[in-house]
Amino acid sequence: MEVIAKYYVETDLSIEKAAEAIAAEQSTGTWTEVEREKLTSDLAARVVRAEGNFAYIAFPEELFEPGNIPQYLSVVAGNLFGLGDLKKVRLLDVIFPQTLVLAHKGPRFGIKEARKILGVFDRPLVGTIIKPKVGLSPEETAVVAGQAVRGGLDLIKDDETLTDQSFCPIDERVVAVMAELSKVEDETGKKAFYAVNVTCGAEEILDRAEDVIGCGANMVMVDVLTAGFSALEVLSRGVKVPIHVHRTMHGAFTRDRHHGISMVPISRLVRMAGGTNLHTGSYLGKMAGDMEENDQCRDALRDDWYGLRPVFPVASGGVHPGNVRPNLEGYGNDCIVQAGGGVHGHPWGTTGGARAMVQAVEAWKAGSSAEEYAKSHKELDAALKFWSS
Ligand code: CAP
Ligand code: MG
């Protein structure tokens, strides 16, 4: 079997020569002929197709160490980006054979399992990011979380830069937030996840996750691109809670459509490594994105794939009740739509913003425009007026 990688390439060489250069550099070759290369020909990658600006390279499966995602990336997304003969090159997708996919357990908690915990089956999940993103005390964080769940939200998450800083020790934050969420559940029956950001060094991340779960956490979060895919996989194999995967730093290599790495292979690797939710970009928000790529990420996360559990795509970044609809039209029911400023910046505060987000999702489910639905839902009406001004 082979691993097939698809690249976009800009070069002054012929596309065939450029494809051959990628195949050689990423398998058995280098810049000049080496006598003993003949001994390794069974591991040589080959050019499957090269035309226009696209190159398809087939790598022998034996080149890959099963279970070693860092090594997979060193092959398909390694030195090639530095080859002088390539002016621009972008890794668009990677198709792994079943044996390599199943060298990974995938999500312990997929969409179905996460929904079962919440008791929410028939609509997108709605979440928020605690804002301000840093600086609140554990108690202040808990107040915001409680207000959000009272407004009907299913998921509260730490922001990507909040971990265990002196101003908000992680254990104290988890204890305070989970106590507040439990109080809200007792009063309202509403269950919610609190995704605690356990991002830290590889030697410590599992201990940190186990520690916060011991404090009552029902979900952990990891910044997969700064912590690493191995950190995610250690978590998914080690802890028995769903994992929210943030992609901060992705913009360094995903946003240039002609150079870097698409979110599509990242999505496949996050599913293999066991994430439950993955930020894959909003269809209309503040972050630069590509709708077609969002679709491809959605499908990579949710389509049948050798039995690996499906993963929630997360629409986030500049989302507010007035732009929920295009995100749900893109991702459909099995997604998470979340807003930070779009909840806490509501004129009536966090609970009002949460209710407005929930109402925007209800409007989509009912096939109604947000404007029409707002006529009978005051928090949504206030949000539309506030953010349209
Ligand atoms: C959103 C967010 C998320 C972005 C990341 C932020 O806040 O918390 O990190 O969603 O982008 O810090 O920007 P707002 P992406 O809702 O206030 O924008 O989801 O594209 O990875
Ligand atoms: Mg953030």
Side-chain angles (χ1 to χ4, degrees):
M1 291 301 280
E2 293 174 304
V3 173
I4 309 290
K6 177 183 178 185
Y7 300 92
Y8 169 89
V9 181
E10 286 179 15
T11 175
D12 291 336
L13 300 176
S14 70
I15 186 65
E16 292 80 4
K17 284 284 176 216
E20 284 163 18
I22 295 172
E25 176 61 36
Q26 297 309 133
S27 61
T28 57
T30 186
W31 61 277
T32 183
E33 196 71 28
V34 170
E35 171 54 27
R36 284 182 290 281
E37 206 168 304
K38 294 188 197 65
L39 303 177
T40 63
S41 56
D42 58 341
L43 288 176
R46 64 188 179 92
V47 177
V48 178
R49 209 166 105 211
E51 56 193 31
N53 285 100
F54 298 97
Y56 296 76
I57 311 291
F59 298 90
E61 184 179 345
E62 294 71 24
L63 206 52
F64 299 84
E65 181 195 346
N68 186 341
I69 288 179
Q71 188 265 342
Y72 302 170
L73 283 168
S74 300
V75 175
V76 300
N79 288 356
L80 69 101
F81 289 113
L83 289 176
D85 284 336
L86 307 183
K87 287 157 69 177
K88 291 207 172 212
V89 52
R90 189 175 200 246
L91 175 61
L92 300 177
D93 201 356
V94 185
I95 305 302
F96 293 97
Q98 179 172 1
T99 43
L100 284 182
V101 173
L102 296 184
H104 305 270
K105 294 188 173 7
R108 189 194 293 265
F109 294 85
I111 291 174
K112 193 168 73 156
E113 294 73 21
R115 285 187 176 281
K116 194 156 170 254
I117 294 171
L118 283 181
V120 176
F121 301 98
D122 59 354
R123 60 171 173 77
L125 303 189
V126 195
T128 191
I129 309 99
I130 301 285
K131 300 285 181 182
K133 61 192 328 173
V134 290
L136 297 180
S137 69
E139 295 71 28
E140 289 162 343
T141 304
V143 168
V144 178
Q147 289 170 349
V149 181
R150 287 185 200 287
L153 297 194
D154 305 300
L155 182 145
I156 319 296
K157 66 178 277 295
D158 286 341
D159 223 327
E160 72 282 351
T161 55
L162 179 66
T163 50
D164 190 18
Q165 292 97 323
S166 56
F167 55 78
C168 194
I170 195 165
D171 285 0
E172 292 173 35
R173 179 165 83 245
V174 174
V175 168
V177 169
M178 294 313 292
E180 184 63 23
L181 295 193
S182 153
K183 207 164 92 187
V184 175
E185 185 178 352
D186 291 345
E187 290 166 15
T188 68
K190 178 76 188 107
K191 277 183 185 303
F193 285 122
Y194 168 42
V196 189
N197 187 1
V198 296
T199 300
C200 64
E203 77 293 342
E204 190 196 336
I205 196 161
L206 185 55
D207 287 347
R208 180 170 294 192
E210 287 167 344
D211 179 41
V212 301
I213 291 165
C215 293
N218 58 11
M219 181 178 273
V220 294
M221 164 178 157
V222 63
D223 297 340
V224 68
L225 298 175
T226 55
F229 287 93
S230 307
L232 169 57
E233 197 147 33
V234 159
L235 290 175
S236 69
R237 290 181 174 167
V239 301
K240 293 186 174 57
V241 296
I243 302 172
H244 186 96
V245 182
H246 199 286
R247 60 173 184 167
T248 196
M249 194 172 72
H250 76 91
F253 50 79
T254 58
R255 66 183 298 176
D256 180 339
R257 307 336 278 175
H258 297 146
H259 185 80
I261 303 173
S262 156
M263 266 304 295
V264 179
I266 305 287
S267 299
R268 296 190 193 284
L269 293 171
V270 165
R271 188 172 179 184
M272 286 157 79
T276 304
N277 319 328
L278 171 66
H279 288 234
T280 46
S282 66
Y283 281 80
L284 190 66
K286 74 185 177 187
M287 303 290 190
D290 174 312
M291 308 311 139
E292 193 190 331
E293 197 158 295
N294 287 4
D295 290 349
Q296 291 168 347
C297 291
R298 172 200 64 203
D299 299 343
L301 291 178
R302 293 196 320 220
D303 285 357
D304 291 345
W305 197 33
Y306 304 126
L308 260 58
R309 293 188 174 98
V311 174
F312 274 116
V314 178
S316 180
V319 175
H320 60 78
N323 64 21
V324 160
R325 168 173 292 278
N327 287 294
L328 300 185
E329 274 159 7
Y331 286 129
N333 217 43
D334 273 338
C335 77
I336 297 173
V337 58
Q338 63 176 45
V343 165
H344 311 295
H346 189 281
W348 299 348
T350 296
T351 301
R355 288 197 180 117
M357 282 293 290
V358 169
Q359 290 161 8
V361 173
E362 288 169 352
W364 174 76
K365 280 295 284 183
S368 160
S369 72
E371 292 69 20
E372 188 54 37
Y373 205 76
K375 288 176 183 165
S376 53
H377 294 82
K378 62 183 189 314
E379 291 85 356
L380 179 56
D381 183 53
L384 298 184
K385 288 190 173 91
F386 186 70
W387 278 300
S388 62
S389 52

